[in-house]
Amino acid sequence: TLLILNSDHAMAWQTSERIPLIMKFPFSEHLGRRNWNTQRLDIAPTILDYLGITVPEWMEGQSLISRAFDNTRPIISSHAITIVGPNKAGWWVIDDAATQPPFYNLGKISIVRCNRWYSLNLKDGLISEKEISNHTNPCDKMDIPTKEEEKAYLIKHLADKGYDVSS
């Protein structure tokens, strides 16, 4: 049995905090701790790699037990539309502007690189930055990109995924 424990968010939905990903392999194989950034997309490639099955080209994650693992890669996530809160009738409502083209239900797109978290608000184009507390593998300060560099990277990522970023 392969036991996997993980979460899709930290306490209080904080996307800038580290979340658990624990994998227990049979017979205590692959013991140890990975101190670099991982993501939920890495789970399926890890399982396939463990079973000796070729990971399909379309899978974006990486096997956490592979010797070819790139521990410097950025981790990108998107955040759904903004929930404004309950209206007078008690119904929860969303920000209607967030459901319009070109990004539809994407409210923000974020990137984790080293021990930094950057989040691009797709509604107003503003990017924020935060240090990830208690990071186990921080980068040298000279290797940390600027907010402007990460904004350009995220916009290119959206364009590569087929979004119209011309506006």
Side-chain angles (χ1 to χ4, degrees), residues 136-155:
T136 56
N137 193 18
C139 291
D140 187 273
K141 287 189 180 210
M142 292 178 21
D143 295 331
I144 296 175
T146 66
K147 289 194 308 187
E148 292 74 27
E149 290 170 327
E150 290 298 34
K151 181 176 181 177
Y153 186 93
L154 289 170
I155 291 170

Side-chain angles (χ1 to χ4, degrees), residues 100-142:
Q100 303 302 312
F103 302 115
Y104 298 96
N105 67 339
L106 291 180
K108 295 179 182 176
I109 184 167
S110 300
I111 185 168
V112 173
R113 197 181 304 264
C114 303
N115 59 326
R116 302 299 294 177
W117 171 83
Y118 305 85
S119 182
L120 175 60
N121 184 322
L122 297 172
K123 185 175 176 183
D124 61 18
L126 297 177
I127 188 160
S128 56
E129 171 185 21
K130 188 174 185 181
E131 183 173 351
I132 298 173
S133 58
N134 301 316
H135 198 279
T136 56
N137 193 18
C139 291
D140 187 273
K141 287 189 180 210
M142 292 178 21

Side-chain angles (χ1 to χ4, degrees), residues 24-125:
K24 169 112 175 49
F25 291 89
F27 312 109
S28 299
E29 291 180 271
H30 306 289
L31 285 176
R33 181 178 177 161
R34 306 293 187 255
N35 62 353
W36 53 76
N37 292 325
T38 61
Q39 58 186 334
R40 295 176 80 198
L41 288 173
D42 298 331
I43 296 172
T46 302
I47 294 169
L48 293 175
D49 186 19
Y50 178 73
L51 296 173
I53 299 171
T54 302
V55 178
E57 288 290 321
W58 55 265
M59 278 193 176
E60 295 183 34
Q62 296 181 28
S63 170
L64 299 174
I65 60 174
S66 169
R67 294 187 189 275
F69 188 85
D70 178 9
N71 64 348
T72 63
R73 70 186 169 142
I75 305 295
I76 298 174
S77 62
S78 60
H79 309 269
I81 52 180
T82 304
I83 298 175
V84 177
N87 62 16
K88 292 179 182 179
W91 290 88
W92 283 88
V93 295
I94 61 170
D95 180 356
D96 289 334
T99 62
Q100 303 302 312
F103 302 115
Y104 298 96
N105 67 339
L106 291 180
K108 295 179 182 176
I109 184 167
S110 300
I111 185 168
V112 173
R113 197 181 304 264
C114 303
N115 59 326
R116 302 299 294 177
W117 171 83
Y118 305 85
S119 182
L120 175 60
N121 184 322
L122 297 172
K123 185 175 176 183
D124 61 18

